[in-house]
Amino acid sequence: MLIDTHVHLLGHRDRPATRENIRLFLDAAVRRGLSLIGFADHEEYIEDMRPDLIREVAGEYPGLRVLVGVELDYRPGEEARLRAALRRHRFDFSIGSVHELEGRALDLTPAEADALGLAPDELYRRYFACVARAAKSGLFTVLGHIDLVKIFGVRPTLAVEELAAPALDAVAAAGGAIELNTNGRYKPVGEWYPSPALLAAAARRRIPITTGSDAHAPDQVGREVAAAAAALRTLEARRLDW
Ligand SMILES: [Zn+2]
Ligand SMILES: [Zn+2]
């Protein structure tokens, strides 16, 4: 069972959700041998997503389960706005992702995180505190790339599984799930999200885990999800039951 539940059909507004473009992604999913593909475009393009068209085109692919979700930016205090957006659009699932801290985007340039003026341990602590709040909100099916803060290679001095314990405990207590997101391999940090130590810590807590490529183009659909699934088997991790 190969699953990719983090696919950006629209990319960063690189293409519209036309029948032809939807088919490009679904064809790629079939070529990779996926049994399930979940679209999760960025919330800012919510009006361009066309879930009904995706579901209609999915009917041409009887061997492939197709879900339509959304990747929401989580910022503390915006829970009501997110809840309203989810109620309005009736997605199959939602990914809650922390992409910024105190107004600074963490995944664009290293300078943005530097501008926060935080030592690495404190940067990580605040990032995981934000992930913990996202989990406690109960808004999300999956917490996205839970250690995105490492993207440019900044590492804490303390053990990352200790720093992340509040976030992992919150996910477990809330009955939430996380993803093994393979896209980190193609970022400066050069490894999946989350790191092996965090993944093992999540598996020990019996947190359900899904796999996602974070594809922003058809040729990235399902990228490394077979290897990710193998890693989860090695850990005897609980898989998220879709
Ligand atoms: Zn993201
Ligand atoms: Zn994404």
Side-chain angles (χ1 to χ4, degrees):
M1 286 280 283
L2 293 182
I3 286 172
D4 186 348
T5 49
H6 195 144
V7 175
H8 294 274
L9 169 64
L10 304 174
H12 291 287
R13 266 215 181 98
D14 303 309
R15 65 193 77 77
T18 58
R19 237 168 244 285
E20 292 67 32
N21 286 332
I22 294 164
R23 284 191 193 111
L24 286 179
F25 280 76
L26 299 185
D27 287 343
V30 170
R31 272 199 304 278
R32 289 270 189 182
L34 301 186
S35 54
L36 190 161
I37 180 171
F39 290 104
D41 270 298
H42 295 289
E43 179 201 355
E44 54 210 291
Y45 316 137
I46 206 161
E47 302 302 338
D48 301 329
M49 289 184 192
R50 308 187 71 185
D52 291 341
L53 182 63
I54 292 174
R55 291 182 179 115
E56 190 190 315
V57 176
E60 301 169 12
Y61 297 78
L64 181 64
R65 222 176 128 206
V66 180
L67 300 179
V68 186
V70 61
E71 180 177 19
L72 299 162
D73 275 315
Y74 177 77
R75 299 179 205 90
E78 296 193 3
E79 288 82 355
R81 183 183 67 75
L82 297 176
R83 189 167 290 112
L86 287 170
R87 202 173 292 136
R88 210 165 44 244
H89 290 274
R90 297 177 183 280
F91 292 107
D92 298 317
F93 70 103
S94 59
I95 299 176
S97 297
V98 179
H99 294 112
E100 62 177 66
L101 214 49
E102 291 154 37
R104 301 272 179 188
L106 297 173
D107 54 350
L108 298 182
T109 65
E112 283 284 294
D114 288 351
L116 290 166
L118 300 171
D121 289 347
E122 187 57 21
L123 178 68
Y124 272 66
R125 199 173 277 123
R126 290 198 200 179
Y127 186 81
F128 289 128
C130 200
V131 174
R133 283 190 65 168
K136 285 177 192 163
S137 76
L139 286 167
F140 311 115
T141 319
V142 176
L143 279 303
H145 44 61
I146 61 162
D147 62 350
L148 179 76
V149 64
K150 73 183 177 186
I151 185 168
F152 293 111
V154 172
R155 299 287 191 174
T157 65
L158 299 172
V160 71
E161 64 272 30
E162 298 303 322
L163 290 164
L168 293 173
D169 290 343
V171 176
I178 65 166
E179 63 172 7
L180 176 46
N181 181 317
T182 59
N183 197 30
R185 181 91 75 201
Y186 303 92
K187 302 295 182 184
V189 69
E191 67 171 36
W192 296 339
Y193 310 108
S195 61
L198 280 191
L199 197 61
R204 279 198 300 277
R205 286 169 172 83
R206 305 302 297 152
I207 292 171
I209 303 171
T210 188
T211 48
S213 66
D214 220 332
H216 281 66
D219 64 324
Q220 297 165 0
V221 170
R223 188 163 66 175
E224 297 190 24
V225 300
L232 293 177
R233 272 196 301 279
T234 303
L235 285 169
E236 296 179 10
R238 204 173 138 196
R239 298 296 301 270
L240 180 57
D241 186 13
W242 290 97

